[in-house]
Amino acid sequence: MTMADREKVLVFDFGSQYSQLIARRIRELGVYCQIVPHDLPVEQAARAEVRAIVLSGGPASVYRDGAPSMDERVLAAGIPILGICYGMQLLARLLGGKVERRGGQEYGPARLEIEAADGLLAGLADPLDVWMSHGDRVVEMPPGFVRLAGTPDCPIAAMGDAERGLYGVQFHPEVAHTPRGGEILRNLLFRIARCRGGWTMANFIQTSVAEIRQRVGDGRVICALSGGVDSAVVAALLTRAIGKRMTAVFVDNGLLRAGEAEQVCQTFRTEYSLNLHFVDAREEFLSALAGVTDPEEKRKIIGKTFINVFAAEARKLGTFRFLAQGTLYPDVIESVSARGGPSATIKSHHNVGGLPQRLGFELIEPLRELFKDEVRRLGAELGLPQRLLKRQPFPGPGLAVRIIGDVTQDQLDVLRAADSVVQEELARFDGYDGIWQSFAVLLPVKSVGVMGDQRTYENAVAVRVVTSVDGMTADWARLPAELLGRLSARIINEVKGVNRVVYDISSKPPSTIEWE
Ligand code: XMP
């Protein structure tokens, strides 16, 4: 079986903030799921491998001019369809029911009375806790539909036409606040759509390895290893597929945390027998950064230097037809999603994976279909150690954006030493798994202190520890006071050149996670 003819479910994206979550829930149940534009034509939607379609929620009102719709022929194609929220209202409108904004908005938890506990709601009993978030609602079902469940505020909260395999729910089965939502999706997949299941990372490896082998033939592949999860998993997968014909290049830009370069090499060379080429480019980066203080300028220089170093190394290492990189599914869908519009650039994130087309390689992106949690599971299946798979995100420009102002070797040494204390102490903290990122920032502020009987005049370090789900929003971690005290005391005692430690208690927004 190839990737293309694997059984799948499609999510028609009407702009819901939950579209990705729907896809992840379905995949967790063992069925591959893709997010597609809401107006996908029937020729592409009604293919043999498509077992079911989910119509997502969305911010619009179905009766407004220009409200997003779908190719109506899909409704008659014999594929089971579940409309969620906006998706349910669209089904009602297109099939002859009625949608209205009646009463107030309904937002938050609700208790569902079940009318028909078979089909979509098989195995469930009322009252069923569900999560609502809507203004409009279906007030008249289309011909052929029966009511499956309701709440006092929303009498038609679930409806279905078993004959045609069409269903709608006003609530959101995909969110955690609908505790038994997974069973509803499971009923859709396995009772109604008769999916076989079997989307597992073990199966993914099998198909992916076969496809990589076929595509690469006897060619060679190069990839850039950053020490992060994605590039590590790409390197491991490619090595599984083509062994030594895959070469990984690790560039030490001098902006890494203490021990990081050594750790990556150790893991990959000794535990994983990867064909790893290590480049010491510390000098090159440092001289390119000399005197630069503007954060965006730093990012551009680091990005450009990286590309130059990588391209030069690749030339030295021989001829490579392919470049493998760790593009993930969320990057791919942003461009097709109804929400994928332009947004203001706050920081031009440079990622090590992002090498330009003009280098002339053909791209291999084996993680293009995967969500981050799937990449971690894939890594585990490939035998990568948990300490690598659970690594906190680390910015491409590294410590350069954690030294406010210009970057010098001395400052890098100070920051690295302070940051090691943060790493060590946090690693021992019970709540470590709930932390998104924890690090030190070197401030360009000198303050007066006293050590022994001597006056000191030295730098301040900020400690930044945040919780977050996706890095888009974040909150400062409420660390125990003893831990904060230990961080401060150890940094001031152990790191020469620092006499003051502050704890950053800003959330994102309005601040960002990094200081630059
Ligand atoms: P901000 O500071 O924008 O960071 O709140 C959000 C997340 O992105 C990381 N970050 C970067 N990652 N290149 C990267 O690869 C960058 O230039 C960059 N800047 C910030 C940051 O560590 C956090 O996880």
Side-chain angles (χ1 to χ4, degrees):
M1 187 179 65
T2 65
M3 302 274 184
D5 55 25
R6 169 202 303 133
E7 75 170 5
K8 66 175 79 156
V9 169
L10 301 180
V11 175
F12 281 20
D13 181 12
F14 291 92
S16 167
Q17 54 178 327
Y18 298 133
S19 294
Q20 291 196 25
L21 194 55
I22 300 171
R24 279 175 45 207
R25 291 280 171 268
I26 290 173
R27 289 186 186 194
E28 278 163 18
L29 293 167
V31 178
Y32 180 62
C33 182
Q34 265 180 326
I35 298 171
V36 296
H38 58 83
D39 51 1
L40 194 76
V42 70
E43 293 76 15
Q44 288 173 49
R47 300 171 85 104
E49 66 275 13
V50 175
R51 297 292 143 84
I53 293 173
V54 176
L55 313 178
S56 84
S61 278
V62 287
Y63 44 74
R64 290 268 161 78
D65 279 351
S69 191
M70 59 187 287
D71 182 342
E72 290 182 41
R73 294 171 301 167
V74 172
L75 299 176
I79 304 170
I81 295 181
L82 171 66
I84 296 177
C85 196
Y86 182 87
M88 169 181 182
Q89 296 157 13
L90 186 69
L91 271 184
R93 177 164 169 100
L94 294 177
L95 295 169
K98 213 160 152 196
V99 178
E100 274 180 14
R101 170 154 303 202
R102 193 179 282 176
Q105 301 202 355
E106 196 182 11
Y107 185 84
R111 307 202 102 179
L112 213 62
E113 299 292 329
I114 294 177
E115 181 103 2
D118 56 1
L120 191 66
L121 302 182
L124 297 167
D126 52 17
L128 186 67
D129 291 318
V130 299
W131 185 259
M132 293 280 195
S133 170
H134 64 108
D136 298 346
R137 62 205 72 191
V138 173
V139 294
E140 223 171 81
M141 286 181 289
F145 277 75
V146 297
R147 193 171 84 95
L148 304 179
T151 69
D153 277 341
C154 180
I156 306 170
M159 63 178 195
D161 176 345
E163 192 108 328
R164 288 187 284 174
L166 304 177
Y167 296 86
V169 290
Q170 185 53 65
F171 57 92
H172 289 272
E174 70 276 21
V175 304
H177 297 293
T178 301
R180 301 189 68 182
E183 287 165 68
I184 297 174
L185 294 175
R186 190 190 297 277
N187 285 336
L188 171 74
L189 299 178
F190 300 105
R191 271 176 192 273
I192 297 167
R194 309 237 168 255
C195 292
R196 288 188 308 268
W199 166 255
T200 61
M201 286 305 111
N203 290 340
F204 176 86
I205 293 175
Q206 239 184 10
T207 343
S208 180
V209 160
E211 289 198 355
I212 291 168
R213 281 186 186 147
Q214 208 201 355
R215 171 131 184 252
V216 172
D218 55 9
R220 292 172 72 206
V221 183
I222 193 165
C223 84
L225 204 61
S226 70
V229 179
D230 305 340
S231 68
V233 174
V234 167
L237 182 62
L238 265 288
T239 300
R240 171 79 64 96
I242 57 168
K244 296 280 184 197
R245 275 182 296 119
M246 137 87 197
T247 302
V249 175
F250 183 89
V251 176
D252 182 355
N253 57 11
L255 307 169
L256 305 169
R257 306 174 98 172
E260 202 162 25
E262 297 77 9
Q263 226 181 55
V264 171
C265 289
Q266 150 87 7
T267 304
F268 279 101
R269 281 224 179 95
T270 56
E271 295 173 32
Y272 216 75
S273 75
L274 186 84
N275 202 0
L276 176 60
H277 183 71
F278 183 87
V279 191
D280 180 354
R282 290 178 295 178
E283 284 291 324
E284 218 162 324
F285 279 86
L286 205 57
S287 54
L289 283 169
V292 180
T293 53
D294 178 68
E296 281 302 280
E297 193 65 18
K298 286 185 189 173
R299 284 191 168 79
K300 279 197 202 109
I301 290 171
I302 292 164
K304 216 172 98 208
T305 310
F306 176 78
I307 291 162
N308 292 342
V309 170
F310 183 83
E313 277 322 298
R315 272 194 302 276
K316 278 191 229 158
L317 289 167
T319 315
F320 295 91
R321 186 165 151 209
F322 302 96
L323 170 75
Q325 59 186 29
T327 315
L328 300 193
Y329 193 49
D331 308 327
V332 179
I333 37 186
E334 275 308 305
S335 54
V336 305
S337 156
R339 285 191 303 138
S343 59
T345 303
I346 311 292
K347 298 178 189 184
S348 57
H349 285 193
H350 149 71
N351 291 307
V352 168
L355 287 158
Q357 284 285 302
R358 68 171 164 77
L359 291 184
F361 298 109
E362 290 174 40
L363 282 187
I364 294 191
E365 299 179 308
L367 313 182
R368 261 181 90 80
E369 308 188 313
L370 304 185
F371 289 109
K372 190 82 178 186
D373 42 337
E374 292 175 314
V375 172
R376 289 211 177 85
R377 278 191 278 128
L378 174 60
E381 193 76 37
L382 287 164
L384 292 173
Q386 280 302 320
R387 97 182 114 71
L388 198 154
L389 297 175
K390 285 173 120 182
R391 263 193 57 148
Q392 294 178 350
F394 185 68
L399 301 184
V401 292
R402 294 179 181 170
I403 292 174
I404 312 307
D406 65 335
V407 180
T408 66
Q409 186 59 54
D410 284 349
Q411 285 169 322
L412 279 167
D413 292 341
V414 172
L415 177 57
R416 219 172 256 132
D419 188 70
S420 306
V421 173
V422 178
Q423 287 196 64
E424 263 176 54
E425 288 295 334
L426 266 288
R428 279 193 226 129
F429 171 50
D430 272 348
Y432 183 74
D433 281 347
I435 299 295
W436 170 261
Q437 274 172 299
S438 42
F439 54 89
V441 181
L442 185 61
L443 306 183
V445 173
K446 286 197 182 249
S447 74
V448 174
V450 51
M451 263 181 176
D453 289 327
Q454 301 285 325
R455 174 188 193 269
T456 60
Y457 187 56
E458 290 176 328
N459 277 100
V461 157
V463 173
R464 182 80 164 135
V465 184
V466 296
T467 56
S468 174
V469 175
D470 53 11
M472 304 296 287
T473 59
D475 199 4
W476 58 280
R478 273 44 172 189
L479 296 184
E482 300 75 47
L483 175 53
L484 288 171
R486 219 165 31 247
L487 283 169
S488 166
R490 279 197 58 194
I491 291 173
I492 293 171
N493 284 328
E494 295 173 26
V495 183
K496 219 167 154 293
V498 177
N499 67 354
R500 195 173 292 271
V501 170
V502 295
Y503 188 52
D504 181 347
I505 53 168
S506 336
S507 64
K508 172 181 180 177
S511 302
T512 54
I513 296 176
E514 305 287 348
W515 276 48
E516 284 201 333

